[in-house]
């Protein structure tokens, strides 16, 4: 940081030599900088840097809000039918045919039934989960499929386990103690599982 | 009278001076705030969790940054008053030590932010196994590794700061980490969004567009604040290394004190966007203040 030391002269206008603070390093000499014949404005780097930074932050914000707004309904349908397909493939005796035009309100009922089956076939679950949760890639198409897959896994596990520790991050407002919580007891499981993972993610982002 | 060795053109870029009162106020506020967080986490047993330990690590790095600036200012004043010589060996060693403290603060901040992002990522994507993955002991080990690495690097960078080779990895690390943290948060954000959509599809719940908007705003604030506070300084280091004699670069480097003040502002803002969002921590503060009255 020798350069810093030399640049951090607190120069006052009148006295440039003795009363100034200079931590000098003899091997780092800066000669005078001449300001003759500048083509652009002398603070062009400063202005350019800050403008670039502001543009980048605003761009990032717009990308994030666009992510909010896109993700059209057909994509959600695709996610859910994908998930349904995977659930179906796990359970042996799940005889219901795939219907892509099934209404969303029936989706939850289906999930509860399939979840019940999952509790029975928990071992299969854990194996599949280990295979599929290898760390989702950031490429956008697989991304939207990976995300509900992993969240689907949570919901199944949540339903199966009777008691688990929620990280304190997922804390609810009324309760200040750690994880051993009563979230499971009073609420229906379907709404619970969505609420739980959504709570954690929204806790972070709100 | 020979006024100076430097050219005193009208177009000269003189150092932009930040008044000392402002400096000290900002630094003191940063140190106090982060100290409060440390005290709160230590006193409240409920806060002995990996998440809060990572926030404490961030608070410590911020404190170190503010402390560095305060000490530097004190030394400047002592120098002006004549208690310290300018060329002495002791002062040079002290200066090196302070440089390494500053680099330690920067590296500590970056790695703490990374640890916080990774912790949140695990919370969301591995929610049920979180307590097995991120035990208290593992969190402490991770923090120890981070700080040992940062201390070693800072000492090495301070010692070899005159080599160009040290500046380049330093300035590459910064955007790399930022990009990685951004990716983690974007992934979490997308999951939150898809969950919100799923909940919104149920007939009984209302649509949460506002929630998603808030998520975007929060993410932007996280990363925007860090970028805006640290990037000017990193650019300064780059320019000081590679083009110190260029007039444009010199003009940029003349706002060095403003960049330093920005870093101290980061120490004030970070607790607000990380620590004070937790209701548990806020209630601990309230208890601390009301009990003391």
């Amino acid at each position: 940081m020798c350069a810093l030391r030399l640049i951090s002269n607190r120069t006052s206008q009148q006295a440039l030599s003795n009363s100034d603070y200079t931590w000098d390093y003899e091997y780092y000499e800066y000669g005078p900088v001449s300001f003759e014949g500048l083509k652009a404005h002398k603070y062009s780097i400063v202005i350019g840097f800050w403008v670039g930074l502001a543009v980048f932050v605003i761009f990032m914000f717009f990308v994030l809000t666009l992510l909010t707004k896109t993700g059209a309904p057909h994509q959600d349908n695709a996610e859910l039918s994908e998930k349904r397909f995977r659930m179906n493939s796990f359970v042996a005796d799940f005889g219901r045919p795939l219907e892509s035009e099934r209404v969303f309100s029936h989706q939850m009922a289906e999930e509860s039934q399939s979840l019940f089956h999952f509790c029975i076939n928990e071992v299969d679950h854990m194996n599949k989960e280990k295979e599929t949760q290898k760390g989702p890639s950031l490429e956008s198409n697989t991304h939207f499929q990976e995300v509900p897959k992993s969240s689907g896994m949570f919901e199944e596990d949540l339903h199966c386990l009777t008691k688990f520790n929620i990280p304190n991050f997922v804390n609810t407002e009324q309760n200040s103690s750690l994880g051993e919580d009563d979230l499971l007891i009073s609420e229906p499981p379907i709404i619970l599982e969505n609420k739980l993972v959504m709570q954690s993610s929204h806790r972070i982002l709100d | 009278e020979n006024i100076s060795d430097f050219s005193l053109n009208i177009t000269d870029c003189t150092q932009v001076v930040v008044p000392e009162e402002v400096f000290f106020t900002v630094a003191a506020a940063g140190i106090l705030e982060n100290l409060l967080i440390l005290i709160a986490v230590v006193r409240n047993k409920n806060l002995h969790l990996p998440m809060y330990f990572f926030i404490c690590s961030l608070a410590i790095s911020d404190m170190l940054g503010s402390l560095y600036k305060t000490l530097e200012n004190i030394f400047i004043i002592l120098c002006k008053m004549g208690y310290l010589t300018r060329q002495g060996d002791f002062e040079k060693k002290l200066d090196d030590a302070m440089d390494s403290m500053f680099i330690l603060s920067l590296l500590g901040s970056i790695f703490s932010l990374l640890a916080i992002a990774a912790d949140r990522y695990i919370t969301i994507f591995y929610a049920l196994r979180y307590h097995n993955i991120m035990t208290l002991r593992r969190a402490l080990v991770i923090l120890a590794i981070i700080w040992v690495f940062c201390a070693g690097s800072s000492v090495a960078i301070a010692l070899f700061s005159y080599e160009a080779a040290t500046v380049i990895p330093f300035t590459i690390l910064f955007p790399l980490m930022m990009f990685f943290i951004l990716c983690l948060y974007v992934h979490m954000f997308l999951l939150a969004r898809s969950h919100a959509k799923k909940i919104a599809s149920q007939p009984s719940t209302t649509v949460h567009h506002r929630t998603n908007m808030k998520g975007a705003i929060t993410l932007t604030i996280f990363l925007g604040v860090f970028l805006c506070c640290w990037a000017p300084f990193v650019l300064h280091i780059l320019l000081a290394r590679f083009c110190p004699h260029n007039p444009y670069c010199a003009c940029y480097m003349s706002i060095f004190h403003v960049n330093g003040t920005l870093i101290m502002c980061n120490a004030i803002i970070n607790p607000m966007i990380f620590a004070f969002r937790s209701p548990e921590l806020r209630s601990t503060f309230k208890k601390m203040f009301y009990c003391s009255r």
Side-chain angles (χ1 to χ4, degrees):
Chain A
M1 300 287 121
C2 316
L4 283 181
R5 297 282 69 77
L6 209 57
I7 296 299
S8 67
N9 289 343
R10 283 177 156 277
T11 56
S12 50
Q13 292 299 327
Q14 55 275 24
L16 284 173
S17 51
N18 280 339
S19 61
D20 290 342
Y21 155 64
T22 51
W23 296 83
D24 292 335
Y25 285 94
E26 287 79 31
Y27 48 82
Y28 226 7
E29 300 270 319
Y30 279 161
V33 181
S34 95
F35 284 86
E36 303 287 338
L38 292 184
K39 290 195 236 19
H41 188 262
K42 58 181 177 163
Y43 281 112
S44 53
I45 292 188
V46 179
I47 298 170
F49 170 75
W50 280 104
V51 167
L53 199 61
V55 163
F56 175 73
V57 171
I58 292 173
F59 169 72
M60 196 167 67
F61 177 68
F62 276 127
V63 164
L64 290 174
T65 44
L66 271 178
L67 286 176
T68 309
K69 297 210 163 49
T70 54
H74 73 273
Q75 207 163 32
D76 276 328
N77 276 335
E79 289 173 18
L80 292 167
S81 57
E82 171 94 22
K83 192 160 78 162
R84 245 182 294 155
F85 181 73
R86 288 205 175 91
M87 286 182 184
N88 292 338
S89 69
F90 294 161
V91 181
D93 54 345
F94 198 83
R96 200 172 303 204
L98 267 182
E99 288 173 32
S100 57
E101 60 271 1
R102 193 178 291 273
V103 186
F104 278 16
S105 54
H106 295 302
Q107 175 64 22
M108 297 303 143
E110 271 183 39
E111 279 186 20
S112 68
Q113 281 205 348
S114 53
L115 286 173
F116 178 69
H117 289 298
F118 294 154
C119 279
I120 300 171
N121 297 323
E122 199 183 359
V123 176
D124 284 334
H125 255 232
M126 286 303 181
N127 292 336
K128 295 287 179 187
E129 187 185 28
K130 274 178 198 125
E131 282 169 25
T132 53
Q133 265 190 347
K134 274 178 205 140
S137 69
L138 287 172
E139 195 245 325
S140 56
N141 284 336
T142 59
H143 194 74
F144 285 107
Q145 295 166 11
E146 292 270 356
V147 163
K149 204 187 341 176
S150 55
S151 62
M153 293 301 163
F154 297 149
E155 290 150 7
E156 290 133 25
D157 287 335
L158 279 174
H159 190 71
C160 292
L161 298 176
T162 53
K163 187 178 163 102
F164 62 95
N165 290 330
I166 311 163
N168 200 23
F169 200 77
V170 196
N171 207 353
T172 56
E173 287 79 14
Q174 65 270 20
N175 190 355
S176 70
S177 70
L178 208 286
E180 273 74 7
D181 239 341
D182 44 4
L183 270 185
L184 282 182
I185 298 173
S186 55
E187 291 174 311
I190 303 303
I191 300 177
L192 166 71
E193 59 222 14
N194 285 326
K195 190 174 166 182
L196 187 68
V197 185
M198 193 188 83
Q199 243 183 6
S200 64
S201 49
H202 282 277
R203 228 17 174 151
I204 292 171
L205 295 171
D206 284 350
Chain B
E1 171 188 347
N2 190 11
I3 296 184
S4 69
D5 292 329
F6 301 95
S7 61
L8 273 184
N9 288 336
I10 308 173
T11 57
D12 203 349
C13 281
T14 54
Q15 277 276 326
V16 173
V17 176
V18 173
E20 280 169 17
E21 297 80 19
V22 172
F23 236 67
F24 278 122
T25 314
V26 172
I31 293 176
L32 275 174
E33 215 178 342
N34 290 295
L35 202 58
L36 272 177
I37 290 177
L38 286 176
I39 294 175
V41 170
V42 163
R43 280 173 64 162
N44 187 352
K45 290 274 183 287
N46 286 344
L47 297 175
H48 289 186
L49 292 172
M51 181 183 104
Y52 291 105
F53 285 175
F54 293 136
I55 289 180
C56 276
S57 163
L58 186 65
I60 290 174
S61 344
D62 287 337
M63 251 171 58
L64 279 176
S66 300
L67 208 62
Y68 161 78
K69 277 289 170 189
T70 316
L71 286 177
E72 192 187 38
N73 263 32
I74 291 176
F75 281 121
I76 292 173
I77 293 173
L78 285 178
C79 230
K80 272 195 195 152
M81 290 174 17
Y83 291 121
L84 288 177
T85 64
R86 275 175 273 127
Q87 316 283 346
D89 210 29
F90 169 71
E91 282 80 9
K92 280 196 192 141
K93 287 209 172 66
L94 212 55
D95 200 41
D96 272 338
M98 293 205 310
D99 283 341
S100 61
M101 188 200 288
F102 181 69
I103 301 170
L104 179 66
S105 156
L106 171 58
L107 288 177
S109 283
I110 295 180
F111 281 106
S112 299
L113 285 175
L114 186 64
I116 290 175
D119 178 66
R120 290 176 175 180
Y121 191 84
I122 297 177
T123 303
I124 288 190
F125 285 100
Y126 299 90
L128 295 174
R129 291 176 285 154
Y130 173 79
H131 274 285
N132 293 331
I133 297 176
M134 188 64 78
T135 58
L136 211 58
R137 204 160 152 268
R138 259 187 216 163
L140 290 172
V141 164
I142 289 172
L143 281 177
I145 293 175
I146 286 177
W147 281 98
V148 164
F149 174 74
C150 291
S153 318
S154 71
V155 168
I157 291 177
L159 284 178
F160 299 111
S161 59
Y162 48 88
E163 311 253 349
T166 56
V167 174
I168 295 179
F170 183 72
T171 45
I172 287 178
L173 180 77
F174 181 78
L176 213 64
M177 285 292 174
M178 291 298 304
F179 181 68
F180 186 57
I181 292 174
L182 181 66
C183 289
L184 285 179
Y185 276 119
V186 164
H187 195 202
M188 289 189 262
F189 177 72
L190 288 173
L191 174 63
R193 191 182 60 87
S194 75
H195 266 283
K197 277 195 184 323
K198 231 164 76 163
I199 298 295
S201 68
Q202 291 180 17
S204 55
T205 59
T206 56
V207 176
H208 290 292
H209 278 309
R210 216 190 131 256
T211 314
N212 287 329
M213 191 60 142
K214 264 183 86 174
I217 293 175
T218 308
L219 261 185
T220 313
I221 290 176
F222 277 167
L223 295 167
V225 162
F226 188 75
L227 261 183
C228 288
C229 291
W230 286 98
F233 176 75
V234 175
L235 183 63
H236 178 103
I237 293 179
L238 268 179
L239 293 182
R241 175 67 53 215
F242 291 118
C243 63
H245 300 291
N246 185 317
Y248 298 112
C249 299
C251 272
Y252 182 83
M253 295 194 285
S254 68
I255 60 170
F256 174 69
H257 291 292
V258 177
N259 295 342
T261 314
L262 274 176
I263 291 177
M264 291 196 294
C265 290
N266 185 49
I268 297 180
I269 298 175
N270 264 345
M272 290 181 200
I273 62 181
F274 284 99
F276 293 158
R277 282 177 166 252
S278 152
E280 180 74 29
L281 204 66
R282 282 201 299 260
S283 65
T284 312
F285 278 127
K286 285 188 199 138
K287 276 186 222 154
M288 270 166 57
F289 284 125
Y290 289 144
C291 278
S292 65
R293 288 180 191 170

